Amino acid sequence: MEFYPVVTGEYLFDTHSPVQLLLTEETLTSVRHQHDFMEIAYVYQGEGIHLVAENKIQVAKGDLFVIPPGVSHVFHPQDLTGSEPLRILNCMLRPEVFEVPEELSEQFSEADLVRLTRFREQKCWFGYREQKMELAGLFGRLQELSNDSSSMNKLRMYPLVFELLGLIGPSACIPFTDAPRKNNDPLHDVILFMITNFRQRISLKEISRYISMSSRQFQRLFKLKTGKSFIQMLQEIRMKYTCILLIFSDLGIQKIALEVGIGDMKYFYRLFREYSGMTPASYRNWLHSHFSSVKEMMSYAEHTAR
């Protein structure tokens, strides 16, 4: 069974609003993960690939995905150079959002409340493709309200939540249809393989054979298109997973090293120091003492190597 870090709402939500939005820029080495809360991921800008559960989907601006707790996923930018970013607006829902306060519930219809209950019970991911920018404006209005937890703002927020569910809810029963596929660079498949299998020992010879190239030809092409060697990118993936585990778990350092596929602790410490400038224990302590929220920690962890 594959293991992916669990991003926990207990540490992630940094305001009392039942709905929070976070804009992230995905990279070639973004961490595949799961949540313990419901997330709605909206492709705000760019094109890319979405690995979700057992599916690989071509995505573009305007695509939206509902990711229930326990479903692993990661977005991967189409562009290998970083010049055409893939940005995702993450709409995160606290469990409390599904329990409408009694003083507010009488303001809404029975149909709205039933729709909210059904959405909470959703176990499988599903997607929705925007038609006429209807989601962009809706998320903009949600963002304006998401930093205020007053009853008045909740009264204004729930109609937006119900409007969103009314748009995307019917798609839960319809298979998401891929956009027409581009002629993807085979290096995408290599990097996606690395993201999923980084715990294993992956040799240059094996990965070259994966896309039917000689090792020498593969190394040259990989460096040319991504700006990094195969080994550099593999180790960056492992170090990013290390950072997430340091933030979201209480695992010991040796256990984390094994989870990311490194059995030699000397080598692990050297790699992590080169990546972050400090030891794993110091990094964990430093993050918790210097940032006010886990969102800030995650942002730092994601961009440490840049």
Side-chain angles (χ1 to χ4, degrees):
M1 182 177 179
E2 294 290 350
F3 166 83
Y4 297 106
V6 179
V7 175
T8 55
E10 178 185 0
Y11 299 107
L12 182 60
F13 291 100
D14 58 358
T15 76
H16 295 292
S17 174
V19 178
Q20 292 191 49
L21 288 91
L22 175 66
L23 186 64
T24 59
E25 182 172 326
E26 304 302 316
T27 69
L28 296 178
T29 55
S30 287
V31 172
R32 185 164 185 170
H33 62 283
Q34 51 188 315
H35 326 100
D36 66 354
F37 55 88
M38 183 75 79
E39 180 180 68
I40 300 172
Y42 171 68
V43 182
Y44 181 83
Q45 178 184 356
E47 298 181 337
I49 298 166
H50 189 200
L51 289 184
V52 53
E54 303 301 318
N55 306 96
K56 184 174 88 169
I57 302 166
Q58 199 81 24
V59 300
K61 180 179 179 179
D63 289 343
L64 174 147
F65 297 89
V66 172
I67 315 295
V71 176
S72 70
H73 78 123
V74 65
F75 287 95
H76 178 89
Q78 187 77 36
D79 177 60
L80 294 172
T81 68
S83 60
E84 297 178 20
L86 174 64
R87 294 191 172 98
I88 305 298
L89 183 63
N90 305 277
C91 178
M92 303 173 291
L93 306 180
R94 282 180 181 271
E96 305 91 270
V97 78
F98 300 107
E99 303 293 339
V100 182
E102 188 174 343
E103 65 272 20
L104 299 182
S105 61
E106 61 185 24
Q107 305 287 332
F108 309 113
S109 71
E110 184 66 26
D112 283 334
L113 299 175
V114 168
R115 188 180 295 121
L116 189 64
T117 299
R118 287 178 179 169
F119 190 73
R120 175 180 57 188
E121 296 169 352
Q122 183 70 35
K123 301 300 182 186
C124 299
W125 74 270
F126 68 89
Y128 173 87
R129 179 154 286 133
E130 188 174 41
Q131 305 298 315
K132 297 180 179 178
M133 299 291 289
E134 65 274 13
L135 294 176
L138 185 51
F139 282 125
R141 286 178 282 157
L142 273 171
Q143 180 68 71
E144 292 175 2
L145 297 175
S146 65
N147 294 324
D148 191 322
S149 60
S150 69
S151 295
M152 179 58 69
N153 267 17
K154 284 182 181 177
L155 184 60
R156 294 169 58 199
M157 179 175 289
Y158 272 107
L160 297 179
V161 171
F162 293 141
E163 183 181 345
L164 176 62
L165 298 187
L167 284 171
I168 68 177
S171 297
C173 304
I174 304 171
F176 186 79
T177 303
D178 261 0
R181 288 192 175 274
K182 294 187 173 184
N183 294 322
N184 278 332
D185 192 309
L187 291 187
H188 281 293
D189 288 334
V190 168
I191 298 169
L192 293 173
F193 178 84
M194 292 161 66
I195 288 172
T196 304
N197 298 279
F198 65 91
R199 297 173 191 85
Q200 305 170 15
R201 184 173 181 177
I202 306 174
S203 69
L204 183 59
K205 185 176 181 180
E206 175 190 6
I207 206 75
S208 302
R209 192 183 300 129
Y210 187 74
I211 56 172
S212 303
M213 286 185 181
S214 69
S215 296
R216 184 175 181 181
Q217 181 185 14
F218 168 76
Q219 288 186 86
R220 183 181 302 154
L221 184 64
F222 196 94
K223 178 77 172 180
L224 177 66
K225 292 199 171 183
T226 69
K228 298 175 182 176
S229 71
F230 158 69
I231 292 298
Q232 284 174 327
M233 185 163 290
L234 178 60
Q235 302 303 32
E236 182 177 320
I237 290 169
R238 287 171 169 162
M239 292 302 98
K240 283 191 175 181
Y241 274 86
T242 297
C243 290
I244 294 299
L245 289 172
L246 287 170
I247 295 171
F248 285 103
S249 81
D250 295 323
L251 293 176
I253 307 303
Q254 187 168 8
K255 178 65 173 174
I256 289 177
L258 293 174
E259 289 289 354
V260 302
I262 302 176
D264 183 333
M265 291 304 295
K266 267 185 154 177
Y267 181 53
F268 174 77
Y269 274 99
R270 179 166 66 82
L271 279 178
F272 193 82
R273 187 178 287 277
E274 289 174 355
Y275 180 80
S276 70
M278 59 187 82
T279 67
S282 297
Y283 182 88
R284 176 180 263 167
N285 293 334
W286 184 81
L287 284 175
H288 286 280
S289 63
H290 282 73
F291 291 99
S292 61
S293 74
V294 174
K295 285 196 290 188
E296 292 178 3
M297 292 186 213
M298 287 178 65
S299 178
Y300 180 84
E302 178 69 16
H303 297 91
T304 297
R306 291 185 175 187

